[in-house]
Amino acid sequence: MNEQEIAAAAEAIREADTVAALTGAGVSTASGIPDFRSEDGIWTEYDPNDFHIRRFRADPEGFWDDRIELVEDLFGGNFEPNAAHEALAELEAAGHLDGLVTQNVDGLHQQAGTEEPIEIHGNGQRVACTGCNRRFEADPVFERVREGEVPPTCEQCGEVLKPDVVLFGEQLPKHELLSAQSLSKDTDAYLAVGSSLTVEPAASLPRIAAKNGATLIIVNLDSTGLSGLAEFDFRADVTEVLPAIADAVVNGT
Ligand code: ZN
């Protein structure tokens, strides 16, 4: 890790009026959560077609049986926020991060203390009613599924419950996407963390920011789709670089 570059990136954040961040799978895998798309990711073990919105609509029973299995595989362990989540929460608390967009569905940003992350792929710790659109905590619903209520239904209106995540074949939530885009347009510094920045539309967010003059700071193990646009391109562990940046921003070291 290059100390001078850390200090320079920290200065760009400190001097910015508005700072935004986008986080991807690399921030979750650092907490031990399996990746979806990598070579030995989740979709090598599961068939993505089983988790398609068409399958949910046609066969909610089968969908929920498979979903519970996937949930245990993904979130069966006791996952906790890591140093990258904490560094982002620290930046926000110190007034140096104005909005955080995440592609992750594990809720770890909230656990670390980030106030209201914009969750463009939803949140797996909630379920949504397909009838009345109410949201509920997922764990009690998962428990009902394990006990045989398949598919689980809404206690308010009786319709089928769906995990509150974006399934294959589903549009990203409009409101969240618009918020994420307007945040990108309106920011002086943009941190893109733990994402290969190749999957649209998430990849377009830092691009919009850079095109509108923001300083783009990328932290990812490998080269990304937007590395060429970045002022700072840290190819290193997110749990090392982010705390170093946050520390330099907050404490001026
Ligand atoms: Zn309902």
Side-chain angles (χ1 to χ4, degrees), residues 129 132 154 157:
C129 176
C132 66
C154 177
C157 76

PDB file of all heavy atoms in Angstrom, residues 129 132 154 157, ligand 1:
ATOM      1  N   CYS A 129     -44.085  -8.616   0.356  1.00  0.00           N
ATOM      2  CA  CYS A 129     -45.343  -9.246  -0.041  1.00  0.00           C
ATOM      3  C   CYS A 129     -45.648  -8.885  -1.492  1.00  0.00           C
ATOM      4  O   CYS A 129     -45.583  -7.724  -1.888  1.00  0.00           O
ATOM      5  CB  CYS A 129     -46.479  -8.799   0.861  1.00  0.00           C
ATOM      6  SG  CYS A 129     -48.062  -9.461   0.325  1.00  0.00           S
ATOM      7  N   CYS A 132     -49.541  -6.847  -1.065  1.00  0.00           N
ATOM      8  CA  CYS A 132     -49.683  -5.509  -0.475  1.00  0.00           C
ATOM      9  C   CYS A 132     -48.370  -4.746  -0.422  1.00  0.00           C
ATOM     10  O   CYS A 132     -48.343  -3.593   0.000  1.00  0.00           O
ATOM     11  CB  CYS A 132     -50.293  -5.612   0.924  1.00  0.00           C
ATOM     12  SG  CYS A 132     -49.220  -6.441   2.122  1.00  0.00           S
ATOM     13  N   CYS A 154     -48.341 -13.783   3.243  1.00  0.00           N
ATOM     14  CA  CYS A 154     -48.439 -12.557   4.036  1.00  0.00           C
ATOM     15  C   CYS A 154     -49.536 -12.699   5.084  1.00  0.00           C
ATOM     16  O   CYS A 154     -50.661 -13.106   4.772  1.00  0.00           O
ATOM     17  CB  CYS A 154     -48.744 -11.399   3.096  1.00  0.00           C
ATOM     18  SG  CYS A 154     -48.993  -9.821   3.920  1.00  0.00           S
ATOM     19  N   CYS A 157     -52.373  -9.965   4.051  1.00  0.00           N
ATOM     20  CA  CYS A 157     -53.272 -10.060   2.898  1.00  0.00           C
ATOM     21  C   CYS A 157     -53.333 -11.456   2.281  1.00  0.00           C
ATOM     22  O   CYS A 157     -54.122 -11.704   1.373  1.00  0.00           O
ATOM     23  CB  CYS A 157     -52.872  -9.021   1.835  1.00  0.00           C
ATOM     24  SG  CYS A 157     -51.414  -9.487   0.890  1.00  0.00           S
TER      25      CYS A 157
HETATM   26 ZN    ZN B   1     -49.470  -8.663   1.906  1.00  0.00          ZN
END
